[in-house]
Amino acid sequence: MKTIGVLGIQGAIEKHLESVAAIGCKGLWVKTAADLKKIDGIILPGGESTSIGKQLEWFGMMNPLREAIAQGLPAFGTCAGMILLAKDIEACTQARIGLMDITVRRNAYGSQLDSFITDLQVKGIQGKIPAVFIRAPRIEKCGRNVEILASHKDHPVLVRQKNMMAASFHPELTEDTRLHACFGQML
Ligand code: GLN
């Protein structure tokens, strides 16, 4: 059985772990750099990307995590997790993993009160999936090697590049586990 780690610094960690169990994988709450050796893939949950980035550095996890992903560890960044994966964050110098060829703009869909749920057509998935956007980042630019799997109002919201997948939204906050399953297939 494959093990999917969930970066356990901030966000709906338990919800992600529930989705991981639902797709038949073992979940691990990732707390240290040593935990990175025990997993076949990692989910980077939403939360506050500035705070998660700072804590990754304080706990000595930023470099090992970046190295592991650069060497092929499959990673799925959701919302703030997507911001951490992005190479470019508009108008921000915050700490990041910075491996994905995307430019993102934080909070571009508005404040907490502007949160919304919409249904998305995702490449390779039958029917639509529900997507929860909470102070979500918008993808402004994608490199040529980035595949767009879903868009909302002319902006990509789900993308993949090699071993990395990133979503502007929160797939763990609905009962639909098909995106986690999609990530499971990347392991
Ligand atoms: N607005 C947050 C940030 O910029 C992301 C929000 C989320 O993960 N729901 O980090």
Side-chain angles (χ1 to χ4, degrees):
M1 188 192 269
K2 299 275 188 186
T3 302
I4 297 181
V6 179
L7 182 64
I9 290 181
Q10 219 185 53
I13 301 156
E14 273 131 348
K15 283 278 172 201
H16 273 298
L17 288 169
E18 280 170 24
S19 301
V20 165
I23 62 160
C25 288
K26 192 170 166 246
L28 182 76
W29 186 307
V30 173
K31 293 181 178 157
T32 64
D35 288 337
L36 298 172
K37 304 248 180 279
K38 305 175 192 160
I39 56 177
D40 301 296
I42 188 160
I43 293 173
L44 312 167
E48 198 56 42
S49 56
T50 46
S51 165
I52 300 170
K54 271 187 197 157
Q55 292 184 70
L56 279 171
E57 292 195 324
W58 287 336
F59 302 144
M61 289 176 76
M62 185 63 100
N63 289 337
L65 180 57
R66 186 184 299 112
E67 225 158 86
I69 299 172
Q71 281 169 16
L73 179 72
F76 182 17
T78 64
C79 207
M82 177 174 94
I83 299 170
L84 287 164
L85 281 177
K87 273 190 187 159
D88 294 313
I89 309 169
E90 279 190 356
C92 287
T93 55
Q94 68 192 76
R96 70 200 69 175
I97 298 164
L99 290 172
M100 211 171 189
D101 291 327
I102 53 174
T103 301
V104 300
R105 185 148 75 86
R106 295 176 62 204
N107 304 318
Y109 292 96
S111 71
Q112 190 82 13
L113 288 175
D114 300 310
S115 300
F116 62 97
I117 304 180
T118 189
D119 286 329
L120 296 175
Q121 188 74 60
V122 176
K123 204 169 168 182
I125 294 183
Q126 291 268 308
K128 293 200 166 187
I129 64 144
V132 181
F133 287 74
I134 305 168
R135 292 188 304 113
R138 191 165 67 203
I139 299 176
E140 303 289 4
K141 265 188 248 158
C142 286
R144 245 184 273 150
N145 39 357
V146 175
E147 186 188 6
I148 298 170
L149 300 177
S151 296
H152 172 71
K153 295 195 173 160
D154 295 332
H155 283 273
V157 290
L158 179 68
V159 291
R160 186 163 53 197
Q161 179 181 1
K162 287 196 242 162
N163 56 318
M164 293 173 282
M165 185 158 86
S168 294
F169 54 92
H170 288 261
E172 79 284 9
L173 298 183
T174 70
E175 299 299 305
D176 195 316
T177 55
R178 286 178 293 170
L179 276 191
H180 286 82
C182 191
F183 178 58
Q185 281 165 11
M186 290 167 60
L187 308 185

